[in-house]
Amino acid sequence: MNEVNMVSQRRQQDYRLQELGDFLRTRRARLTPEEVGLPRGSRRKTPGLRRAEVAQLVGVSVDWYTWLEQGRSITPSKQVLEHLVQTLRLDANERTHLFLLAQQQPPPALLRETEIVSPALQHFLDQFGTRPAFVSGRRWDILAWNDAGCAVFGDYRRMTTRERNTIWRIFTDPSSRQFVVDWEEDARQLLAQFRSMCGRYPGDAQLAELIHDLMLASPEFRAWWPDHEVRGGQEGWKTLNHPQVGYLVFERLTFQVFDTPDLKVTVYTPLEEANTPRKVEQLLEQWYLRVGQGPHPPQAVHHLPQTQRPGQDTVGWWLAACCQRVEGAWVANSDVMISYAHWCEAHGYIPKKAKGVSQSLAVHGLEISVNKRVVDDHRQRKMARGVRGLVIL
């Protein structure tokens, strides 16, 4: 192991132990002796439990527990950690956070691997139509989104990486305080969830840089971060006050991607409150106007049934209506695009571009970009690309 790696590992270890000590101190400070069955006494000057009291309840020496809070390099057993959970009245999220900081559960092996959103995952986002959806990474950067996400939350395409970071945006963008109803409550909740996630990546340099910059940029972040609040879950209602259409009410759901658990998908489902579905459709129409896709994408979206909203699987519907799977068959890309475009026009949809069609065909299990020598209209032999296993009827 070279010297650089040894220094990096030592820094990660020091950071983890300091976080562990700070976490234990904040949990100890929020409890009263009465809550754990101890007498208050008359000489108590500081709030919370004393170190000696925690050590007594956990069943360890005062010196040993003091070393633990001081960030010394000691490894508590699982049994001691469970006693700490019970003594400090930790909930499920706090218990997980404690075990991660104490390295009783290993963090992911690759912390700095590039975060990639696959074509299949992007296609999945596009299926949500008028429901804003996006993918975020381990540092809460927005990595991918659908059109409804841009229409409601802003044009992610024109934002820098830092501006697309959820935590950075809510704490440093002045407009978020008007956009998010009950801003302080929402910001505190997101910060606690962010803190819980940070425990999984001790020593991540980019996370440390983000936290450092937030401490400088936001007085609220600077005041709340030392509290060590941790929470889990990102479900429930979300109310926004959009500058163009007023109040919007969504049901928010976040879930992990199974193959890439560092990635999370968040979907906002418009609820009937405040006429949210129609307002989102209006915002989506305005979005398509701004990006040059016509005034009514596709064909007056609010008049279409639920299964025909923008972003749905038009390629799959075209396959079912116009094509047949035949083993060994081959069809040129140009013929695919012509047939697909005609079908979309006939049914009132805006066709996907060639790249989107190719990605959708691959999702449907077809082999794409297959080269074949063909004869053109001038009887010249040439190589062309197409789709294998498909016949257009």
Side-chain angles (χ1 to χ4, degrees), residues 286-348:
Q286 294 171 357
W287 159 255
Y288 280 112
L289 276 172
R290 288 196 298 272
V291 299
Q293 293 191 25
H296 299 291
Q299 296 293 318
V301 61
H302 54 281
H303 292 149
L304 296 175
Q306 183 65 29
T307 56
Q308 296 182 5
R309 294 186 184 275
Q312 297 297 318
D313 189 10
T314 53
V315 173
W317 298 334
W318 165 75
L319 285 171
C322 303
C323 303
Q324 182 178 349
R325 306 276 184 118
V326 177
E327 185 176 355
W330 181 92
V331 58
N333 286 345
S334 58
D335 293 335
V336 167
M337 291 305 300
I338 291 171
S339 175
Y340 169 69
H342 286 168
W343 182 88
C344 286
E345 182 179 358
H347 291 81

Side-chain angles (χ1 to χ4, degrees), residues 2 23 104 111 119 165 235 246 261 293 297:
N2 60 42
F23 181 68
Q104 294 299 311
L111 298 181
N165 183 276
E235 300 182 11
Q293 293 191 25

Side-chain angles (χ1 to χ4, degrees), residues 83-376:
H83 286 323
L84 281 169
V85 170
Q86 295 172 15
T87 298
L88 299 176
R89 304 294 195 267
L90 304 185
D91 62 23
N93 294 309
E94 292 169 328
R95 176 181 178 276
T96 299
H97 191 64
L98 173 66
F99 269 67
L100 286 168
L101 290 176
Q103 270 194 340
Q104 294 299 311
Q105 296 180 8
L110 298 174
L111 298 181
R112 295 177 175 83
E113 64 181 349
T114 303
E115 295 175 313
I116 299 176
V117 175
S118 68
L121 184 52
Q122 179 63 63
H123 179 77
F124 178 69
L125 293 182
D126 293 337
Q127 304 312 300
F128 285 106
T130 56
R131 284 177 285 180
F134 52 80
V135 176
S136 56
R138 57 180 168 267
R139 302 179 192 94
W140 287 31
D141 297 324
I142 303 299
L143 305 174
W145 51 86
N146 63 2
D147 289 342
C150 285
V152 172
F153 293 102
D155 193 348
Y156 290 117
R157 305 172 308 163
R158 301 182 182 275
M159 298 179 191
T160 65
T161 300
R162 180 57 64 84
E163 289 170 341
R164 288 199 301 267
N165 183 276
T166 302
I167 292 296
W168 178 264
R169 190 175 184 186
I170 196 168
F171 277 98
T172 66
D173 185 353
S175 65
S176 69
R177 297 171 186 266
Q178 286 75 45
F179 185 65
V180 179
V181 177
D182 294 328
W183 178 88
E184 180 172 337
E185 179 182 349
D186 193 78
R188 282 182 175 275
Q189 179 175 332
L190 287 176
L191 181 60
Q193 293 164 355
F194 179 70
R195 164 72 84 170
S196 181
M197 180 277 306
C198 286
R200 300 178 181 272
Y201 308 105
D204 186 299
Q206 290 176 278
L207 261 180
E209 180 182 3
L210 173 62
I211 293 168
H212 173 268
D213 292 348
L214 280 164
M215 294 285 281
L216 296 176
S218 169
E220 291 85 1
F221 186 93
R222 191 162 54 247
W224 300 339
W225 183 250
D227 293 342
H228 283 261
E229 291 295 329
V230 290
R231 299 184 197 173
Q234 295 181 8
E235 300 182 11
W237 282 28
K238 178 88 167 184
T239 304
L240 305 174
N241 186 10
H242 199 281
Q244 293 174 249
V245 296
Y247 286 104
L248 300 169
V249 184
F250 297 95
E251 186 174 55
R252 179 178 60 186
L253 175 65
T254 298
F255 49 92
Q256 288 180 304
V257 180
F258 181 80
D259 291 334
T260 316
D262 282 349
L263 300 185
K264 301 176 185 63
V265 178
T266 300
V267 181
Y268 286 80
T269 299
L271 300 178
E272 291 299 328
E273 284 75 6
N275 198 22
T276 302
R278 180 62 190 94
K279 289 179 180 178
V280 174
E281 291 166 359
Q282 178 183 340
L283 288 171
L284 193 55
E285 290 180 12
Q286 294 171 357
W287 159 255
Y288 280 112
L289 276 172
R290 288 196 298 272
V291 299
Q293 293 191 25
H296 299 291
Q299 296 293 318
V301 61
H302 54 281
H303 292 149
L304 296 175
Q306 183 65 29
T307 56
Q308 296 182 5
R309 294 186 184 275
Q312 297 297 318
D313 189 10
T314 53
V315 173
W317 298 334
W318 165 75
L319 285 171
C322 303
C323 303
Q324 182 178 349
R325 306 276 184 118
V326 177
E327 185 176 355
W330 181 92
V331 58
N333 286 345
S334 58
D335 293 335
V336 167
M337 291 305 300
I338 291 171
S339 175
Y340 169 69
H342 286 168
W343 182 88
C344 286
E345 182 179 358
H347 291 81
Y349 298 108
I350 295 177
K352 293 184 177 183
K353 296 181 180 179
K355 182 178 180 181
V357 173
S358 295
Q359 291 174 349
S360 295
L361 290 172
V363 169
H364 282 280
L366 290 161
E367 187 178 356
I368 62 174
S369 298
V370 178
N371 288 323
K372 184 177 180 180
R373 193 171 295 278
V374 298
V375 178
D376 63 18

